[in-house]
């Protein structure tokens, strides 16, 4: 909680953003309400976001980077 994450969705700039992890360990993205971020690596989180975006995008490609701790 409190980390700032950059989420980049390839070919979907409207879904790419930088946002904080809330005190409850979750974060919210467009189309994806409340995803658990605390205790996960950026790669694990990116794969989870990709899985959830498959409902809306064809072959989503997501990168998550930690901007600050």
């Amino acid at each position: 909680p409190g980390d700032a994450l950059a989420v980049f969705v390839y070919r979907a700039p409207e879904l790419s953003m930088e946002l904080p992890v809330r005190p409850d360990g979750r974060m919210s993205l467009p189309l994806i309400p409340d995803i658990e971020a605390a205790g996960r690596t950026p790669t694990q989180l990116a794969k989870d976001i990709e899985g959830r975006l498959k409902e809306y995008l064809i072959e989503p490609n997501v990168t998550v980077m930690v901007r600050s701790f």
Side-chain angles (χ1 to χ4, degrees):
D3 291 355
L5 303 178
V7 178
F8 175 73
V9 183
Y10 182 66
R11 286 187 273 170
E14 65 279 3
L15 299 176
S16 300
M17 60 189 57
E18 194 166 314
L19 62 156
V21 177
R22 298 189 314 244
D24 65 358
R26 296 176 175 268
M27 55 191 257
S28 297
L29 295 164
L31 305 176
I32 304 174
D34 293 347
I35 186 168
E36 186 68 38
R40 302 173 78 188
T41 67
T43 303
Q44 291 170 332
L45 189 55
K47 293 298 177 195
D48 191 8
I49 294 170
E50 285 176 356
R52 293 177 186 218
L53 285 176
K54 284 183 181 178
E55 185 176 336
Y56 307 101
L57 302 173
I58 298 170
E59 295 184 31
N61 187 339
V62 177
T63 302
V64 176
M65 295 176 284
V66 178
R67 290 289 188 197
S68 66
F69 297 98

